[in-house]
Amino acid sequence: MAAKQKKIAGLLCLLILTSIAAGAGLQGNLKVDSASAEAAQAVKDSSENTEAGQSKANTKSLNTSVKINEVKNVSSNSPQELKALSEMEKVAETEALILYVNKLTSEIAVKDKRDGYAWFSNPANRDDDQIASPLYKSELSAQVLVSYYNEKGQINTFNSFDDSVAKEQFKVDVSENQVKVVYQIGNVKQSVANIPKIISQERFQTEILDKLPDQETRESVEYKFRFDEEKKVYEVRKLQDYIAEEVSALFEEIGYTAEDAAADHQENGLADEAVVANAEFTIPLQYSLDGEHLIVTVPGQELEYNDAYPLASIQVLKFFGAADTTGEGYIFVPDGSGALIHLNSSKPSAEPYNLPVYGTDGTFDVKDIIQRNQITRLPVFGLKKNDHAMVGIIEGGDAVSSIRADVSGRNDSYNSVGSEFKITSMDFYTLSSGTKTSSVPMFQKNKFDGDLQIRYGFLSGKAADYTGMASHYRSYLAKKHNLQPLDKTKNAPFILEVEGAFRKSKSFLGIPYNSTETLTTFNETVSLLDELKQAGVPNIDLRFVGWFNDGIRHSSPDDIKVVGALGGKKDLQELLDYTKQNDIGLYPDAAFLQKYKGDSGSAIFLDRAKAKVYNYNPVTYGKDLTSFSHYILSPAKLSKQIDGFMKDYSKLELSGLSLRDMGDEVNSDFNPDRPVTRQESLGVIQQEMEKLKKGAGSLMVNGGNAYSLPYANVIVNSPTRSSRMNLTDEDVPFYQIALHGYFDLAGAPFNMDEVHNPRLSLLKALETGSNIYYQWFHSPSSTVKDTEFDHLYALHYKDWFEEAVSQYNEVSEILNNVRTETIASHERPSPGVVQTTFENGTTITINYNDVAVSVNGVNMEPQSYQVGEGGE
């Protein structure tokens, strides 16, 4: 044993020396065994590619602003990782990447030829994990985790290692530039279908026992069945998988088939039970390379499972690139604007991170909401370990996906991030009879069957941080959607939201009625805009909310009636003329997914009720049945509604439109007669947004979910912080880093932001290059008092006018200078201080602290900023 250990130690030393020699460009004649030599050669090849082949790989068309070809002296893989790589077969290669697979375990690895670093689907040193139990060690070896429902709606799980690879129920196919692994997960029915659950005593003797070769075998088989003396039948006992397979093979040899077993079941009254399905799943997982990216796909049409055990979700490559306890860095999650989870942060009491992309599906009837999380607007995640980073982009199934992440120390010794996809939704339907109630599971009828797909990119050196991840994602978006940078001839706008009309409950002689009340007429809006221009605010984008069909909470938009109390069509035309003459963007607002009047055309919950949404009590967190919010329109009705809207809209000769909800939410419809999955709903929204873009010319989008980006010009209420969950450690403006320079961005209105501090809102706008945004109305604040719009009480424009104008005049030149520039870097020089550097070299340093601080030798007052040029 000692000699063997010395040999292994010697080989590892030789491997390390060979790595160092290769990294330094040295030539040597070190002799090692074939496995170590192959691993060492992989490092040597990587070093040569870093200088010789790297320039070619990056100049061809990798389409990223991250200059990885400048990376030098980055860290290399561990000896265990190099050994794991040497045991794999190279199956695909591009100018940037090489794909490897281990056909015995189905693991894969991707080597970046630009820096020589390899990324693994599973940790190479997982067998050394001192924390993981056998179950979690199995998960560390798995590429797919499967959750499924039983008949009671309870969740059960499988993993591809224990329930497929270890049983040798998988197949690896290598074709041109791709690898496909097909996992048969669970107890594969075909292997035991010829074992009868019940068989008569006579047939058991004549068809099975008499045909077995010897007495010992007959006794062994008979022991595996239990004899019912009263019924004179044999019933099979519970068998372990491997025993069942042995018995099945034995029965096959003697000619007893699955058809014979079915006949015996029929004869003994178990025909229905005989066809009860097992929990079995066929999960294909496909890997391919596309330039600088690894593409991981689960072809949805090839997923197979039994309806008796609906597939709830699939988690793909949970541990891809996972960092162990020696790694330094963080996990990036797209919570709101973005958040970082520091590696090995030791937070055992914090829940693992798990949030759905594009927020929750509105067609789930949620009884209580204790915490309102920020919406995940971008389907992207990342991980930085030491001076390497990977970024994952969910391309297929984004509307049914969630981002999951956790740190080491809970179940295993690894920090990991990845995505999970919901295939089948389930909710409980409550049945009542007198004082008794029971819950019955209701399953989604039309399961999601589209492709699930994740695109992985890789970064190194100075690019291996959240700014580099955001830059990579920006380049991806620009190429995919042909996004164009903002027009350099225009300046940063002051974004103004004006509230028009609303319906107010009144009574006359005790008889209740609804009256249309005005907050800002069209003529008052013209006066307000003119007042702003006279005060030195020339560049304005106007969002007008509540201009048609009873105002803010309007009726169905398929038939437009301009609110007469605001001045009707005539005054709307005057407002339109004024905005055109003064180069002001006009964006009349409309809601298409939320129905405020009537339930016609609404979506259906899983329990078959109308998708009616209520507000929630802030004290009890429960649904407030006295406070109706809206119905959710079925995606199947969206196209017809928008066609009707655009028919009337075009007659008004308007040229801009604000979308209140289409870039902010995605909902399913569980109507059994015309079901629509959430992913299908997203597709419908995109089709209709394209139609609106063509008809309206320019779109202002509220929220700014990723699918709305190809159609948006201005994005308001973009996220400026994360949910600040216990597991996350710091907020980052990933959203703005990824999108700045391509869209005019604004966070929440400065006078409606949850911090209730316009100064802090201004500093955040400077940090992210976002625009000043205010929400106003012209009437006295008392107009909305004691109405359902009481939350708008503090929006009278005179209360904010001077401050808003002062802020704009203070920073407009700065924002004009960086409006069309991408964000090159974002750093934290010290606690409470951030510095953003734009592509043109402009730096903006923000001190968010309540006390003065010194930054790079310069004193900064509390809640102040400094602007520098060229990194000054």
Side-chain angles (χ1 to χ4, degrees):
M1 178 64 72
K4 185 176 181 180
Q5 289 176 337
K6 288 181 179 179
K7 182 179 180 182
I8 292 173
L11 289 175
L12 289 176
C13 289
L14 286 172
L15 178 61
I16 293 169
L17 287 172
T18 308
S19 265
I20 294 171
L26 300 177
Q27 300 296 322
N29 297 308
L30 297 174
K31 294 183 179 180
V32 293
D33 63 30
S34 59
S36 297
E38 189 172 344
Q41 185 63 39
V43 178
K44 183 176 185 295
D45 292 343
S46 300
S47 176
E48 292 171 351
N49 276 315
T50 300
E51 296 185 7
Q54 191 171 44
S55 178
K56 181 180 178 182
N58 281 276
T59 56
K60 180 132 183 186
S61 59
L62 295 184
N63 194 45
T64 175
S65 60
V66 183
K67 298 180 180 179
I68 299 181
N69 58 319
E70 295 180 359
V71 173
K72 294 180 180 179
N73 300 320
V74 294
S75 60
S76 60
N77 292 102
S78 68
Q80 287 172 300
E81 290 174 326
L82 292 173
K83 184 177 185 302
L85 190 66
S86 73
E87 295 169 351
M88 295 184 178
E89 174 186 335
K90 182 170 75 172
V91 292
E93 184 173 3
T94 66
E95 291 181 329
L97 304 175
I98 302 176
L99 176 63
Y100 297 86
V101 66
N102 185 325
K103 291 185 176 179
L104 298 179
T105 64
S106 77
E107 297 169 67
I108 64 103
V110 179
K111 186 173 74 174
D112 192 334
K113 294 162 63 176
R114 300 163 297 184
D115 60 26
Y117 191 76
W119 295 83
F120 294 81
S121 60
N122 305 87
N125 56 343
R126 58 188 179 275
D127 290 339
D128 299 330
D129 195 326
Q130 301 299 310
I131 297 177
S133 65
L135 171 63
Y136 288 110
K137 279 197 174 182
S138 295
E139 286 195 2
L140 286 168
S141 298
Q143 294 77 45
V144 176
L145 305 181
V146 170
S147 297
Y148 66 94
Y149 299 107
N150 63 17
E151 69 280 359
K152 296 180 181 179
Q154 299 167 325
I155 288 284
N156 298 274
T157 61
F158 281 143
N159 71 70
S160 62
F161 180 77
D162 273 346
D163 302 293
S164 181
V165 173
K167 295 180 179 182
E168 298 183 358
Q169 298 173 178
F170 73 104
K171 182 180 180 182
V172 179
D173 287 325
V174 177
S175 58
E176 185 176 356
N177 279 329
Q178 76 172 30
V179 179
K180 187 174 185 179
V181 184
V182 180
Y183 298 99
Q184 300 289 337
I185 296 179
N187 301 318
V188 180
K189 182 172 64 176
Q190 288 76 6
S191 65
V192 297
N194 63 340
I195 299 178
K197 291 181 173 61
I198 186 169
I199 183 172
S200 67
Q201 181 181 20
E202 179 183 355
R203 278 183 58 79
F204 188 64
Q205 183 67 46
T206 59
E207 300 301 319
I208 294 179
L209 294 181
D210 289 349
K211 295 182 179 181
L212 293 174
D214 53 65
Q215 183 61 27
E216 182 179 353
T217 304
R218 285 191 285 272
E219 290 177 355
S220 175
V221 169
E222 188 173 11
Y223 177 76
K224 293 173 176 59
F225 289 78
R226 180 175 51 253
F227 182 62
D228 188 319
E229 186 70 37
E230 182 180 348
K231 297 180 180 180
K232 304 298 182 184
V233 295
Y234 281 87
E235 298 175 346
V236 69
R237 301 177 188 271
K238 180 69 175 177
L239 304 178
Q240 295 288 340
D241 292 345
Y242 71 94
I243 295 177
E245 291 171 2
E246 291 174 358
V247 172
S248 175
L250 187 61
F251 283 10
E252 186 176 350
E253 289 179 6
I254 64 174
Y256 186 86
T257 66
E259 289 75 15
D260 293 324
D264 284 314
H265 295 152
Q266 181 84 26
E267 178 183 330
N268 292 280
L270 288 183
D272 291 338
E273 185 172 338
V275 298
V276 171
N278 290 322
E280 304 161 9
F281 305 88
T282 299
I283 311 292
L285 191 58
Q286 184 173 295
Y287 306 93
S288 60
L289 299 181
D290 179 20
E292 61 176 344
H293 293 125
L294 166 69
I295 311 296
V296 181
T297 307
V298 177
Q301 294 292 334
E302 299 177 28
L303 283 173
E304 295 179 10
Y305 52 94
N306 299 310
D307 290 339
Y309 297 94
L311 180 57
S313 65
I314 301 175
Q315 191 171 358
V316 180
L317 295 190
K318 175 180 178 180
F319 292 100
F320 182 76
D324 61 21
T325 54
T326 65
E328 295 182 357
Y330 46 75
I331 295 167
F332 159 70
V333 290
D335 178 12
S337 64
L340 304 182
I341 302 170
H342 295 164
L343 301 186
N344 309 308
S345 56
S346 300
K347 294 184 177 180
S349 61
E351 290 290 325
Y353 180 91
N354 183 10
L355 286 180
V357 174
Y358 309 139
T360 56
D361 189 333
T363 42
F364 282 87
D365 192 9
V366 180
K367 304 297 188 293
D368 302 282
I369 295 182
I370 298 176
Q371 177 178 333
R372 288 188 179 274
N373 293 313
Q374 295 287 307
I375 295 175
T376 296
R377 301 202 179 274
L378 303 177
V380 59
F381 56 86
L383 183 145
K384 170 184 171 61
K385 54 180 179 180
N386 302 322
D387 49 5
H388 298 277
M390 70 87 171
V391 56
I393 303 168
I394 303 172
E395 292 188 305
D398 49 332
V400 296
S401 69
S402 296
I403 307 296
R404 304 193 61 156
D406 204 358
V407 295
S408 64
R410 189 190 313 277
N411 300 317
D412 52 62
S413 300
Y414 297 91
N415 306 268
S416 62
V417 63
S419 56
E420 182 178 39
F421 300 89
K422 180 181 288 186
I423 306 301
T424 306
S425 297
M426 187 277 295
D427 201 357
F428 287 100
Y429 180 71
T430 302
L431 301 174
S432 300
S433 177
T435 59
K436 296 182 179 180
T437 61
S438 61
S439 296
V440 178
M442 304 286 288
F443 297 102
Q444 177 182 2
K445 280 195 172 182
N446 64 323
K447 291 88 172 174
F448 174 71
D449 61 359
D451 289 352
L452 313 176
Q453 186 162 293
I454 310 168
R455 176 182 292 263
Y456 290 95
F458 309 98
L459 311 168
S460 292
K462 292 182 179 180
D465 59 12
Y466 61 85
T467 305
M469 296 175 195
S471 299
H472 190 96
Y473 184 58
R474 180 201 309 132
S475 298
Y476 163 82
L477 289 173
K479 180 180 179 181
K480 180 179 180 180
H481 301 301
N482 192 29
L483 299 181
Q484 300 300 314
L486 290 170
D487 185 352
K488 290 183 178 294
T489 64
K490 295 184 178 181
N491 288 323
F494 176 96
I495 301 178
L496 174 63
E497 177 176 330
V498 168
E499 309 303 314
F502 71 100
R503 298 285 279 178
K504 183 177 182 179
S505 297
K506 292 185 175 181
S507 65
F508 178 73
L509 299 177
I511 302 174
Y513 70 98
N514 288 324
S515 170
T516 300
E517 300 290 320
T518 64
L519 291 172
T520 317
T521 67
F522 297 131
N523 285 338
E524 287 169 342
T525 304
V526 171
S527 297
L528 202 159
L529 293 172
D530 195 57
E531 196 172 343
L532 276 172
K533 288 182 69 66
Q534 294 299 324
V537 183
N539 308 301
I540 304 170
D541 279 340
L542 173 66
R543 182 188 190 196
F544 199 109
V545 178
W547 60 281
F548 75 106
N549 294 16
D550 297 332
I552 298 173
R553 292 171 59 82
H554 57 72
S555 59
S556 177
D558 59 359
D559 183 15
I560 297 176
K561 291 182 175 61
V562 179
V563 176
L566 297 179
K569 291 182 180 180
K570 177 179 176 296
D571 288 356
L572 174 60
Q573 184 62 50
E574 291 182 4
L575 172 61
L576 176 60
D577 291 342
Y578 180 88
T579 57
K580 287 182 177 179
Q581 292 166 7
N582 291 274
D583 198 23
I584 294 173
L586 176 59
Y587 298 91
D589 181 77
F592 293 104
L593 304 182
Q594 298 181 1
K595 286 177 56 64
Y596 305 109
K597 312 288 183 183
D599 63 2
S600 176
S602 66
I604 302 296
F605 287 140
L606 265 170
D607 64 3
R608 305 297 186 262
K610 294 280 189 180
K612 189 175 184 180
V613 180
Y614 292 90
N615 295 312
Y616 289 81
N617 189 301
V619 177
T620 65
Y621 306 113
K623 185 192 301 182
D624 185 352
L625 298 179
T626 66
S627 181
F628 167 71
S629 177
H630 60 275
Y631 288 97
I632 293 173
L633 182 76
S634 168
K637 301 293 184 180
L638 183 60
S639 180
K640 181 180 179 181
Q641 178 173 263
I642 286 180
D643 285 344
F645 175 86
M646 289 305 298
K647 181 179 179 181
D648 290 348
Y649 173 90
S650 61
K651 297 175 183 177
L652 297 173
E653 299 182 354
L654 297 168
S655 58
L657 184 64
S658 165
L659 303 181
R660 187 183 307 179
D661 47 24
M662 290 180 71
D664 195 46
E665 60 184 77
V666 188
N667 306 304
S668 305
D669 184 1
F670 298 112
N671 188 326
D673 297 326
R674 45 171 175 75
V676 183
T677 68
R678 198 179 192 214
Q679 193 69 39
E680 291 170 337
S681 177
L682 184 150
V684 171
I685 290 172
Q686 287 180 306
Q687 292 173 8
E688 297 309 309
M689 290 186 82
E690 184 173 4
K691 185 188 303 180
L692 293 170
K693 176 74 170 180
K694 289 179 179 178
S698 183
L699 296 182
M700 177 181 287
V701 173
N702 179 61
N705 288 343
Y707 57 83
S708 69
L709 298 179
Y711 318 102
N713 298 91
V714 184
I715 300 173
V716 295
N717 288 301
S718 61
T720 55
R721 70 172 186 87
S722 75
S723 304
R724 295 172 184 165
M725 305 176 75
N726 290 337
L727 190 66
T728 60
D729 294 290
E730 57 181 299
D731 290 359
V732 292
F734 184 96
Y735 187 94
Q736 287 78 11
I737 297 171
L739 303 186
H740 192 274
Y742 285 82
F743 304 90
D744 279 316
L745 301 172
F750 284 20
N751 55 337
M752 287 290 282
D753 195 351
E754 60 186 352
V755 299
H756 298 294
N757 186 332
R759 180 63 182 177
L760 291 179
S761 296
L762 180 69
L763 295 178
K764 179 60 70 173
L766 288 170
E767 177 191 349
T768 58
S770 300
N771 295 292
I772 295 176
Y773 179 25
Y774 272 87
Q775 184 178 0
W776 293 341
F777 57 74
H778 194 279
S779 297
S781 296
S782 58
T783 308
V784 296
K785 189 171 178 59
D786 298 325
T787 72
E788 60 182 322
F789 298 96
D790 195 65
H791 62 285
L792 303 179
Y793 182 78
L795 298 187
H796 179 52
Y797 86 100
K798 287 186 178 179
D799 296 333
W800 301 101
F801 188 87
E802 289 185 5
E803 180 172 15
V805 169
S806 175
Q807 287 181 324
Y808 180 82
N809 290 332
E810 178 184 350
V811 302
S812 60
E813 186 176 346
I814 302 170
L815 294 178
N816 290 341
N817 185 42
V818 301
R819 173 178 176 264
T820 62
E821 305 296 322
T822 59
I823 294 176
S825 71
H826 181 268
E827 302 171 308
R828 285 186 168 81
S830 61
V833 179
V834 297
Q835 184 177 82
T836 304
T837 303
F838 294 85
E839 188 178 13
N840 62 2
T842 299
T843 62
I844 302 178
T845 307
I846 313 289
N847 176 21
Y848 284 106
N849 295 293
D850 293 327
V851 297
V853 296
S854 178
V855 181
N856 297 325
V858 179
N859 188 63
M860 295 189 66
E861 295 299 317
Q863 295 186 5
S864 67
Y865 63 90
Q866 289 185 345
V867 180
E869 299 294 336
E872 293 180 3

